[in-house]
Amino acid sequence: MDALDIKLWRDFKRLWAQSLAIALVMAAGVAVLLMSFGMSKALDETRDTYYERNRFADVFVDARSVPMSMLATIQTLEGVAAAEARVTTHATLDIDGKSRATVVYVNSLPETGVPLLNVPILRRGTLPDPNASDQVALNEPFAKANDLWPGDRLAINLNGTKREVTVTGWLLSPEFIYTIGPGSLIPDDEDYGILWMPERALAAVLDRTGAFDNLTLKLRPGFDPKPVIEELDRLLEPYGSWGAIDRTEQVSNAFIDGEINQLKTLAYILPPVFLGITVFLVNMVMGRIVTLERTEIGLLKALGYTNLDVCLHYLFLSGLVAAVGVVIGWAAGSWLSFGLAKLYANFFKFPYLIYNVSWNTYIVSGLLGFAAATFGAIRSAMAAARLSPATAMSPPAPPRFKRSWIDRALAAVRVSQPTMMILRSLIRWPIRAAMSILGMALAVSILVSSNFFPDSLDVIIDSAFRQSNRQHAVLFFNDLMPESALEEARRLPGVLQAEGQQYLTAVFRKDHYEKRVVVEARRPGNDLSRVVDTNGQPIDAPTDGVMLSRRLAAQLHVGVGDTVEAEFRGTRHGTFELPVTALITQYFGLGAYLDQGMADRMFQQSSQTSIVNVTLDPAFDEAFQERLKELPKLGGSAMMIENREGFQETISQNILITTTIYVILGVLITVGVAYNGARIQLSERARELASLRILGFTRAEVGFILVGEIMLLALLAQPLGWWLGWAIAKLMAESFTSDLYAIPLVLKPATFSQASLVVLGAALVSVLIVRRQLDRLNLVSVMKTRE
Amino acid sequence: MDKEIVFRTEDLTKVYDTGEVKVYALAGVDLDLFAGELTVLLGPSGSGKSTLLNILGGLDHATSGKVWFHDRELTQLRDRGLTQFRRDHVGFVFQFYNLVPSLTARENVQLVTDVARDPMRPEEALERVGLAHRIDHFPAELSGGEQQRVAIARAVAKRPEILLCDEPTGALDSATGTQVLEVLRGVNDELGTSTVVITHNAEIRKMAHRVLYFQDGKLSRVETNEHRLSPAEIVW
Ligand SMILES: Nc1ncnc2c1ncn2[C@@H]1O[C@H](COP(=O)(O)OP(=O)(O)OP(=O)(O)O)[C@@H](O)[C@H]1O
Ligand SMILES: [Mg+2]
């Protein structure tokens, strides 16, 4: 090994603590980048492959009992490559040994046996025989959760008749990567499943022979779905179609999109922060090293080493730090990716294990780590290369402290000498002080912006469950039901209250803005499912217009007093000019509300109901569930209490994990900044501090100078950190907001104080470690060394 | 004289412009240095000795005037050329040794042998200065005199044509200083290395072939020793 390389290696070993503190900050950036970028890419690519191989459709539409002849018409539409018609419905299962009624989405398998589009993958057993009337297949996660194996039998309530069927196999489908039951907030494999049944048998029970309910289309490559969708809507409107959708609105696909977007947001926000701080830390430390090694640099040049040799020598030093950071970052990132993949497996059902992060991501994240270190070191390395050998070997002039107005001001208030030293140093290196403040402020902001999430969720849960949805269960029907259904519901065992609600679909337009919405027709004074404003006040739907959620109003660019054109589709159709008479803040969905009486007058029809909300006497739970399994017309049911518990449990687990990760990240940054800052202080001031000790200052007094400066910076960082945290939280809340939900920005004082405590604590521990080195300082040797 | 000239300067001037005042560190120096000679530079503090040595060694640029190394004009060379010149031809010894603290004696010498064209082995260079037994010691484990001998070993390891020493004994007591001077004398005698030594100790001039006196940035006097003393004979 060359002598210069030996020096490099020994310097690196000597600086291990500082190097490690920097490397860990860099590692955090590399790890998060690897995880978020790698996983979003993996998710994206896997999904694409799966969609491609299994012919995931481009356009989806639901209607009711459309004659088969329509299929031929649709197949000839321009741009349509393939179309597949299915019979679909929701049904309730009665599974042996399970008290609760279980909801499944039923869809038909074609006569040919294997679907043309959305081709399911057979995971176990066989597909049902197209001619059999008592064979079904289940989606794998549901079958596993309910322990239903090929050969097992279960009862299904189809169109009011209960029949026994045999499970033939387990399937996975690109259409149902993410499944979420009606009324649920998170996937629940046990209580919501997908069931495939041969078309002939299903059509016979549902009276759909020669007709279909659902159509999926594959378009020619590159063909815009919009004109196809418009044509489909026109053709299927008479059959109660709620409107065709493209992939972006397909539920399973939309949730994966949402996840990919969140990962990308993470990839764009966090790694730049960590790599930026790495640049600053490397810059600060390398600057100090080059200053300390002036004479050695001069010597190397005198010996005939070139500018390039010297420059590279220091770049290699930063490169070693980067190597450690990148390796740790890769390890941590791989581990995080693995954990995340396991978490995803709970929600997203892909047929193959695709969660291996590609080599590209490793290479890119590694290169970025090295780039950050090089960028941080380049200024000092170039300065070292430029040092003239003659001047490098003469001692540097002591830094010039100028007496400024600040000094006079300080003198006037008579601060102690150590305090004066702290303040002067801040004024002498304002950029370094400012960067240290910024670094620690970013640590605070990361803690604030990650910690706001649980509080926001509390608000959401409170709003969604305690304020808005106070029913114990929701009953869904496959068709609109007459008012008498309410009476029937009231007669079910254990039902205390029952209230109906009607859903209508419409396209709202204002100028060139357009949005497909589900409109809720509400009866005044409804007590179970309420619309609640931010003050917790229940609000009735207006009788003279429509009430919109604020996010919907924003998307349509309308306010109170404007009118929207509402084109209703489905069984209740017609186009109306509706005045917007109220706006409301909501966290879930893009709500629009009409008064039931007003809706009835608009469509000149009597009230009907889509769902019934009920409250229950728990004593009758079993009897209630038993009856549900028998009810004809029931599409499904959702138990809201279990919903909420499942939601809270899943969320609080995830929050514990993420909060822990963010605390670690915040501490890493703080330690990186505070420890390195203090080490550099000590190195620059060793003589000064030793002189003070010789003059009779106590250890505590001298230590105060060291601890005081860093802690002063840490304190100054707090307000900035709070503000940054607020801004990042706001940005995150906005970027996570989609048509499905909105995240309210809830920042409690405790969030700020906890963030500050963590950062101030980590900073204090870091400087105290350095202070111990100060205590061990050998006064004589410090004074004897030449600098 | 028919001796070969290694260095020749012509009206060599170095001005430090510190803003308010201009300091003439060298104010027009004309001199010749001869191959194989041991030359001592004497003069009061601030008279420009170090400045001259730095320019001769290619560590610094002159403000005006010319320097030739043999028939190469150093003052024409840019940074890269000067680096190459130092690497190939010059050995330096400094007052404060300037050893790299994180490298052992051998490794400090190796710094030079790694980049030189025809170096000795580091062990050989250290043997020459009598430090074969301290070869794996770090500078902090060596005395001042030993450190300076390591520095000399480092300077001669590349078999330089010229050896430039700026107050090599400045930080040493007389006995240690004598040891160091003996090493320098040995190198000059045995390897024929042209050697320039700056010193504040006027007695040392007695071991030189020639003595150059400096005053206010100018060469004030040149003295040739008919009879040279060995370092051991010099009384400090
Ligand atoms: N970098 C510099 N900037 C300004 N003036 C300088 C610089 N280096 C040297 N000088 C000035 O140039 C003059 C000559 O300095 P030089 O170091 O050559 O003297 P010297 O003879 O080696 O003195 P000493 O015996 O004290 O080492 C001095 O007046 C010195 O102050
Ligand atoms: Mg000098």
Side-chain angles (χ1 to χ4, degrees):
Chain A
M1 200 153 53
D2 280 357
L4 205 55
D5 298 333
I6 297 173
K7 169 181 182 304
L8 185 68
W9 185 240
R10 295 217 178 109
D11 286 347
F12 178 62
K13 281 203 296 196
R14 185 167 47 84
L15 294 165
W16 72 268
Q18 279 171 278
S19 303
L20 188 66
I22 298 175
L24 286 176
V25 174
M26 178 193 291
V30 170
V32 174
L33 193 75
L34 192 67
M35 182 199 76
S36 53
F37 204 67
M39 287 308 279
S40 68
K41 219 172 132 213
L43 216 50
D44 213 2
E45 283 171 3
T46 311
R47 181 177 61 165
D48 283 352
T49 318
Y50 191 19
Y51 282 179
E52 177 82 38
R53 286 192 198 158
N54 292 62
R55 296 180 54 81
F56 183 55
D58 296 310
V59 176
F60 309 78
V61 61
D62 283 306
R64 179 53 54 96
S65 263
V66 187
M68 248 341 148
S69 59
M70 186 64 82
L71 182 59
T73 316
I74 288 167
Q75 277 167 333
T76 59
L77 291 181
E78 205 196 338
V80 174
E84 185 163 54
R86 285 183 298 188
V87 177
T88 58
T89 189
H90 275 99
T92 309
L93 294 189
D94 186 356
I95 299 168
D96 259 359
K98 185 173 173 186
S99 67
R100 212 165 329 131
T102 307
V103 187
V104 286
Y105 175 74
V106 184
N107 66 122
S108 63
L109 286 166
E111 300 272 318
T112 52
V114 182
L116 198 62
L117 301 177
N118 310 309
V119 184
I121 293 180
L122 189 64
R123 303 283 290 173
R124 185 176 278 277
T126 57
L127 279 174
D129 176 352
N131 297 312
S133 59
D134 64 344
Q135 295 187 4
V136 298
L138 297 173
N139 67 321
E140 186 183 20
F142 173 76
K144 273 189 182 162
N146 286 289
D147 201 24
L148 288 169
W149 293 75
D152 286 354
R153 294 180 72 75
L154 52 91
I156 179 167
N157 181 350
L158 278 171
N159 205 15
T161 49
K162 207 163 161 183
R163 57 174 60 213
E164 287 271 311
V165 290
T166 306
V167 178
T168 62
W170 293 358
L171 304 180
L172 279 180
S173 159
E175 206 180 350
F176 305 109
I177 296 171
Y178 184 95
T179 57
I180 186 159
S184 297
L185 299 173
I186 47 160
D188 178 357
D189 290 337
E190 203 182 327
D191 284 337
Y192 182 70
I194 313 294
L195 184 145
W196 284 263
M197 198 169 166
E199 185 176 314
R200 194 174 301 164
L202 187 61
V205 225
L206 296 179
D207 277 335
R208 295 288 199 286
T209 312
F212 64 85
D213 301 314
N214 167 282
L215 197 64
T216 53
L217 304 178
K218 187 105 199 127
L219 301 184
R220 291 188 201 293
F223 208 88
D224 179 16
K226 208 145 188 220
V228 178
I229 286 175
E230 276 168 16
E231 195 56 21
L232 279 176
D233 287 353
R234 199 182 59 76
L235 289 170
L236 297 179
E237 155 101 76
Y239 303 96
S241 164
W242 286 29
I245 53 173
D246 63 8
R247 282 183 177 185
T248 58
E249 287 185 82
Q250 202 262 347
V251 173
S252 163
N253 188 56
F255 270 97
I256 303 173
D257 270 344
E259 190 58 40
I260 291 176
N261 277 344
Q262 284 200 17
L263 284 173
K264 281 188 179 152
T265 309
L266 211 61
Y268 288 126
I269 295 182
L270 280 184
V273 168
F274 285 103
L275 295 179
I277 293 174
T278 305
V279 170
F280 158 63
L281 291 178
V282 171
N283 185 300
M284 179 167 81
V285 171
M286 291 304 291
R288 179 61 194 159
I289 291 173
V290 166
T291 309
L292 277 179
E293 295 192 350
R294 268 174 69 95
T295 51
E296 285 169 57
I297 294 163
L299 172 84
L300 289 177
K301 302 191 83 174
L303 296 183
Y305 283 87
T306 63
N307 291 357
L308 186 66
D309 293 333
V310 172
C311 183
L312 285 179
H313 177 67
Y314 290 98
L315 287 185
F316 285 154
L317 187 57
S318 71
L320 282 176
V321 176
V324 174
V326 166
V327 168
I328 297 176
W330 278 349
S334 307
W335 182 75
L336 281 175
S337 302
F338 182 71
L340 194 62
K342 280 215 300 204
L343 202 69
Y344 279 167
N346 294 332
F347 298 112
F348 300 121
K349 313 299 179 183
F350 285 100
Y352 11 78
L353 201 76
I354 38 67
Y355 294 115
N356 48 355
V357 176
S358 71
W359 282 111
N360 282 349
T361 320
Y362 279 93
I363 291 168
V364 169
S365 60
L367 283 180
L368 281 173
F370 277 96
T374 307
F375 191 65
I378 192 76
R379 210 174 54 103
S380 302
M382 301 269 278
R386 272 197 306 265
L387 269 182
S388 131
T391 53
M393 276 179 297
S394 53
R400 251 166 248 162
F401 285 91
K402 282 205 194 100
R403 220 178 129 75
S404 67
W405 61 270
I406 300 171
D407 292 276
R408 283 189 286 277
L410 291 176
V413 294
R414 286 169 199 258
V415 295
S416 71
Q417 214 48 40
T419 309
M420 182 75 101
M421 288 172 69
I422 291 175
L423 295 174
R424 280 225 182 101
S425 146
L426 296 188
I427 296 160
R428 168 89 180 84
W429 285 283
I431 294 178
R432 187 207 289 170
M435 293 302 291
S436 302
I437 290 176
L438 181 64
M440 288 188 275
L442 284 168
V444 175
S445 74
I446 282 178
L447 292 173
V448 169
S449 60
S450 64
N451 245 337
F452 92 98
F453 221 67
D455 293 334
S456 296
L457 281 168
D458 279 348
V459 169
I460 291 177
I461 289 170
D462 184 64
S463 158
F465 292 105
R466 281 185 274 280
Q467 309 286 340
S468 305
N469 294 297
R470 313 196 311 167
Q471 69 276 51
H472 295 156
V474 186
L475 308 180
F476 304 88
F477 301 101
N478 280 320
D479 299 295
L480 277 178
M481 300 294 283
E483 284 285 278
S484 59
L486 270 180
E487 280 313 310
E488 267 179 67
R490 285 200 187 98
R491 283 200 297 274
L492 292 174
V495 168
L496 303 174
Q497 278 170 287
E499 290 176 354
Q501 236 168 300
Q502 185 180 358
Y503 290 114
L504 307 161
T505 47
V507 176
F508 279 15
R509 294 194 186 89
K510 172 70 182 180
D511 303 329
H512 59 282
Y513 300 106
E514 184 180 299
K515 194 77 198 169
R516 187 198 305 271
V517 290
V518 174
V519 184
E520 221 180 291
R522 303 179 52 83
R523 291 168 177 77
N526 256 8
D527 189 44
L528 299 183
S529 162
R530 309 190 301 177
V531 180
V532 177
D533 70 11
T534 32
N535 306 325
Q537 284 305 103
I539 300 179
D540 281 334
T543 51
D544 53 351
V546 64
M547 175 162 72
L548 303 181
S549 69
R550 286 217 153 75
R551 280 182 303 129
L552 177 58
Q555 291 195 11
L556 289 167
H557 292 79
V558 294
V560 171
D562 293 333
T563 20
V564 291
E565 183 198 285
E567 185 198 332
F568 286 87
R569 291 171 170 177
T571 43
R572 302 270 156 115
H573 52 227
T575 302
F576 303 87
E577 290 287 324
L578 289 178
V580 177
T581 50
L583 295 181
I584 182 126
T585 303
Q586 285 191 315
Y587 304 123
F588 283 106
L590 296 174
Y593 305 91
L594 281 179
D595 178 65
Q596 181 79 57
M598 180 179 164
D600 292 345
R601 282 192 300 282
M602 278 162 58
F603 300 107
Q604 298 177 335
Q605 276 175 313
S606 59
S607 293
Q608 287 189 311
T609 191
S610 313
I611 65 163
V612 176
N613 297 309
V614 294
T615 49
L616 300 169
D617 179 346
F620 292 90
D621 189 46
E622 210 149 306
F624 174 74
Q625 296 289 348
E626 277 311 308
R627 277 291 289 138
L628 283 191
K629 296 173 186 171
E630 318 287 336
L631 271 190
K633 301 284 178 198
L634 185 68
S637 55
M639 301 304 291
M640 296 305 276
I641 300 169
E642 280 157 30
N643 242 343
R644 178 176 67 207
E645 282 166 358
F647 182 69
Q648 274 176 318
E649 198 178 311
T650 310
I651 295 293
S652 60
Q653 267 174 12
N654 291 354
I655 280 176
L656 187 69
I657 298 171
T658 45
T659 307
T660 312
I661 291 177
Y662 282 109
V663 166
I664 292 173
L665 296 181
V667 168
L668 287 183
I669 294 182
T670 312
V671 171
V673 173
Y675 182 74
N676 277 300
R679 283 296 298 260
I680 284 173
Q681 288 285 326
L682 180 62
S683 146
E684 280 171 358
R685 291 209 162 148
R687 272 161 94 75
E688 207 170 72
L689 299 180
S691 316
L692 287 181
R693 292 270 290 116
I694 290 166
L695 292 179
F697 280 80
T698 64
R699 280 202 172 136
E701 283 165 326
V702 173
F704 166 75
I705 298 173
L706 193 72
V707 176
E709 176 161 349
I710 301 292
M711 290 314 285
L712 178 65
L713 293 176
L715 277 175
L716 289 174
Q718 300 307 315
L720 179 62
W722 296 335
W723 181 80
L724 279 173
W726 169 81
I728 295 174
K730 191 160 174 294
L731 204 75
M732 277 171 39
E734 277 164 15
S735 80
F736 289 170
T737 294
S738 65
D739 282 4
L740 299 169
Y741 46 81
I743 307 285
L745 186 60
V746 182
L747 287 165
K748 293 189 178 163
T751 303
F752 292 105
S753 54
Q754 277 164 12
S756 292
L757 270 181
V758 170
V759 168
L760 290 174
L764 190 62
V765 171
S766 309
V767 277
L768 287 181
I769 292 173
V770 179
R771 211 204 101 147
R772 282 190 21 184
Q773 299 177 350
L774 172 66
D775 290 345
R776 286 198 297 255
L777 210 63
N778 183 331
L779 299 183
V780 180
S781 74
V782 171
M783 296 312 287
K784 268 191 352 203
T785 52
R786 187 177 75 98
E787 197 196 315
Chain B
M1 270 193 278
D2 53 353
K3 275 186 277 184
E4 192 192 345
I5 295 174
V6 229
F7 278 120
R8 166 193 290 274
T9 73
E10 190 181 290
D11 197 21
L12 189 62
T13 307
K14 176 76 180 178
V15 185
Y16 289 108
D17 197 344
T18 54
E20 294 120 51
V21 280
K22 285 186 178 172
V23 180
Y24 278 80
L26 293 177
V29 175
D30 299 276
L31 56 73
D32 296 329
L33 294 176
F34 300 106
E37 255 191 16
L38 196 156
T39 312
V40 163
L41 297 191
L42 276 174
S45 191
S47 57
K49 307 179 294 292
S50 296
T51 307
L52 174 72
L53 204 75
N54 288 344
I55 292 174
L56 292 182
L59 293 179
D60 210 347
H61 295 274
T63 310
S64 66
K66 292 176 175 171
V67 179
W68 284 271
F69 172 69
H70 296 296
D71 48 4
R72 263 190 23 231
E73 193 186 332
L74 291 185
T75 32
Q76 289 286 347
L77 294 180
R78 324 248 329 164
D79 233 34
R80 182 181 294 267
L82 284 180
T83 302
Q84 195 61 41
F85 162 69
R86 292 197 297 269
R87 182 188 285 218
D88 294 341
H89 303 287
V90 192
F92 288 101
V93 178
F94 307 98
Q95 177 177 4
F96 294 106
Y97 334 131
N98 286 8
L99 298 180
V100 175
S102 56
L103 297 179
T104 61
R106 185 215 312 265
E107 290 157 355
N108 262 287
V109 178
Q110 204 191 323
L111 268 182
V112 164
T113 57
D114 281 343
V115 294
R117 282 191 302 197
D118 171 32
M120 312 174 186
R121 285 180 305 107
E123 295 77 7
E124 186 186 340
L126 284 163
E127 222 163 284
R128 173 170 290 283
V129 298
L131 280 179
H133 56 297
R134 312 304 296 269
I135 202 155
D136 285 323
H137 288 230
F138 284 96
E141 299 160 349
L142 299 171
S143 74
E146 286 165 339
Q147 289 186 54
Q148 191 61 300
R149 275 144 69 197
V150 173
I152 294 170
R154 184 176 65 189
V156 301
K158 71 165 86 155
R159 306 181 206 277
E161 220 182 312
I162 38 181
L163 186 58
L164 303 177
C165 314
D166 196 344
E167 302 187 39
T169 58
L172 303 175
D173 65 50
S174 61
T176 328
T178 304
Q179 276 182 347
V180 166
L181 291 177
E182 263 167 354
V183 171
L184 288 179
R185 168 95 192 239
V187 168
N188 177 249
D189 287 349
E190 292 156 31
L191 303 176
T193 312
S194 319
T195 306
V196 181
V197 178
I198 293 180
T199 180
H200 277 277
N201 185 337
E203 293 302 307
I204 292 177
R205 75 178 193 279
K206 292 175 184 158
M207 68 180 269
H209 291 105
R210 285 200 309 155
V211 186
L212 309 183
Y213 288 87
F214 272 75
Q215 187 78 47
D216 299 330
K218 291 203 174 94
L219 183 62
S220 57
R221 190 154 63 88
V222 179
E223 196 177 275
T224 307
N225 282 333
E226 298 304 325
H227 174 65
R228 295 166 64 204
L229 294 184
S230 77
E233 294 168 297
I234 291 173
V235 194
W236 293 51

